[in-house]
Amino acid sequence: MKKNSLDDYQTPPSALDPLLPYLDKNKIIWECASGKGYLVNRLQQEGFKVIATDILTGFDFLTKEPDFDFDIIVTNPPYSKKYEFLKRAYELGKPFALLLPLTILETEKRQALFKKYGIEILLLKKRINFITPSGSGSGSWFATAWFCWHLLPNQINFSEV
Ligand SMILES: C[S@@+](CC[C@H](N)C(=O)[O-])C[C@H]1O[C@@H](n2cnc3c(N)ncnc32)[C@H](O)[C@@H]1O
């Protein structure tokens, strides 16, 4: 992995605020690329049961079958593997919310996935200041949204917070 690549950026817990109203507290959430655990900690504080895995702790989301029960995948995946994460999430067949750059909408290959399975997008009011490996803010130089499946009421949803 390249030093200081986007794959190393962590998500500030506040990025979950727009998504929380759509997550059922009785469901088990799988954070499948949990990194330093910012999203895991926030979800646990909110009262969710969370399973946290990461390739750094030996669980490759793209190749390993989960041997635990889960209901919803929630993560900000490594952006160098965004197509692979999206495809894998669809194939696992459970509801998911992936925080992805808006550019995921580009290219015929990715659009083929959206066409085949459907997609629900939660647009954010502001860009997210991701946490860089040095601990500073990223300066919000690209826009993201929560790309969801079987979670949101509409194909396009606007953040209320
Ligand atoms: C952009 S960071 C996000 C971390 C965390 N989800 C967050 O939002 O703060 C991406 C994480 O994906 C992990 N990762 C990369 N490839 C993976 C794979 N194939 N399976 C599971 N985790 C992976 C990296 O180790 C890194 O921790």
Side-chain angles (χ1 to χ4, degrees):
M1 195 184 291
K2 261 193 314 182
K3 196 166 176 275
N4 207 14
S5 81
L6 283 180
D7 285 5
D8 301 327
Y9 283 26
Q10 311 294 312
T11 313
S14 58
L16 282 169
D17 290 347
L19 185 66
L20 287 174
Y22 301 104
L23 299 177
D24 182 341
K25 287 248 164 86
N26 299 310
K27 304 284 185 190
I28 302 170
I29 294 182
W30 180 17
E31 217 294 27
C32 59
S34 55
K36 293 191 175 161
Y38 287 85
L39 297 183
V40 174
N41 293 341
R42 175 70 196 285
L43 287 163
Q44 286 174 337
Q45 280 161 15
E46 294 290 333
F48 290 96
K49 183 167 181 212
V50 186
I51 296 166
T53 60
D54 194 288
I55 199 165
L56 296 174
T57 50
F59 197 107
D60 186 339
F61 175 70
L62 300 177
T63 57
K64 195 163 171 177
E65 292 306 319
D67 59 358
F68 45 80
D69 284 335
F70 70 96
D71 300 302
I72 307 171
I73 291 170
V74 176
T75 195
N76 172 21
Y79 289 168
S80 66
K81 302 174 194 163
K82 51 186 174 300
Y83 173 80
E84 291 80 2
F85 262 69
L86 189 60
K87 185 165 180 285
R88 176 80 172 137
Y90 278 124
E91 287 170 356
L92 284 166
K94 300 273 183 86
F96 64 74
L98 302 182
L99 187 66
L100 292 168
L102 295 188
T103 51
I104 192 76
L105 292 169
E106 296 173 345
T107 81
E108 200 176 345
K109 184 176 155 190
R110 297 173 194 157
Q111 287 167 13
L113 280 182
F114 297 138
K115 246 164 119 174
K116 178 173 176 187
Y117 294 100
I119 191 71
E120 301 142 14
I121 303 171
L122 177 54
L123 295 170
L124 308 181
K125 286 186 179 175
K126 289 182 188 162
R127 291 183 178 183
I128 293 173
N129 257 322
F130 289 97
I131 303 158
T132 65
S134 69
S136 59
S138 64
S140 295
W141 54 271
F142 61 97
T144 53
W146 286 103
F147 286 77
C148 304
W149 191 57
H150 291 183
L151 268 188
L152 307 180
N154 305 304
Q155 280 188 309
I156 300 285
N157 304 266
F158 296 90
S159 170
E160 300 297 334
V161 291

